[in-house]
Amino acid sequence: MSTSVTLPRQKPVLADLLPGTLLRDVVLVIGAAGSVGALAQISLHLSFTPVPITGQTLGVLVAGTALGWRRGTLAMLLYGLAGLIGVPWFASHQSGYVGASFGYIVGFVFCAALCGFLAERGADRSLLKSIPAMVAGETAMYGIGVAWLAVDLHVGAGKAISLGLTPFLAGDAIKAGIAALLLPGAWKLADHR
């Protein structure tokens, strides 16, 4: 007896509602990367952690979910690679390797991919489905970000969690809530056109 898992069929994401193909996708990917870069400038540095509070997470959640996993992943790869080679759009206009915080930028790629994948299966259509998708994306981002921080700072898991996760949970819960409201709201507007 064999069992197989069947994933729900792929559904369009919000970006698919826009006319066009390649040019549209290029503009969306560049725009999403730029939006995350702009939101990174909303930055508050805390004295006890090398990781700043920023608006980036909101941008990553929205970009991944609205663009789907392929475009969302490309947008975050563009964001990370462009920042790495000198575009000053990481937090506080930084670029290059930003040390312990760089793991979160790597995590953005996986966050956007996961949120986009879930959106392509309808997780962006209602608040009850959007919230778990946003939490899953943030979990992927924090998993990579906190692990990177631990390695970069040579600290154990408990210390890495207290430096790179705990101080950000409330703020990122709010950002996830905003993103979870925005996407179904945008679908409602699109359905009424």
Side-chain angles (χ1 to χ4, degrees), residues 100-152:
S101 296
F102 196 75
Y104 297 92
I105 295 167
V106 173
F108 292 166
V109 175
F110 294 91
C111 175
L114 183 54
C115 286
F117 176 83
L118 294 171
E120 290 172 1
R121 276 126 194 100
D124 61 339
R125 307 296 174 102
S126 73
L127 182 62
L128 289 177
K129 290 181 181 177
S130 288
I131 290 173
M134 301 306 160
V135 170
E138 285 191 340
T139 300
M141 179 199 62
Y142 275 112
I144 294 165
V146 170
W148 191 293
L149 182 138
V151 170
D152 192 78

Side-chain angles (χ1 to χ4, degrees), residues 39-151:
L39 287 168
Q41 304 322 305
I42 301 169
S43 179
L44 175 64
H45 291 271
L46 305 173
S47 62
F48 58 89
T49 178
V51 181
I53 295 172
T54 70
Q56 290 167 296
T57 310
L58 175 61
V60 174
L61 293 170
V62 171
T65 308
L67 299 181
W69 82 265
R70 288 172 188 85
R71 290 174 292 223
T73 299
L74 286 173
M76 293 310 101
L77 283 170
L78 174 62
Y79 174 70
L81 291 173
L84 202 53
I85 63 170
V87 175
W89 61 4
F90 293 157
S92 301
H93 299 288
Q94 293 182 347
S95 63
Y97 178 70
V98 289
S101 296
F102 196 75
Y104 297 92
I105 295 167
V106 173
F108 292 166
V109 175
F110 294 91
C111 175
L114 183 54
C115 286
F117 176 83
L118 294 171
E120 290 172 1
R121 276 126 194 100
D124 61 339
R125 307 296 174 102
S126 73
L127 182 62
L128 289 177
K129 290 181 181 177
S130 288
I131 290 173
M134 301 306 160
V135 170
E138 285 191 340
T139 300
M141 179 199 62
Y142 275 112
I144 294 165
V146 170
W148 191 293
L149 182 138
V151 170

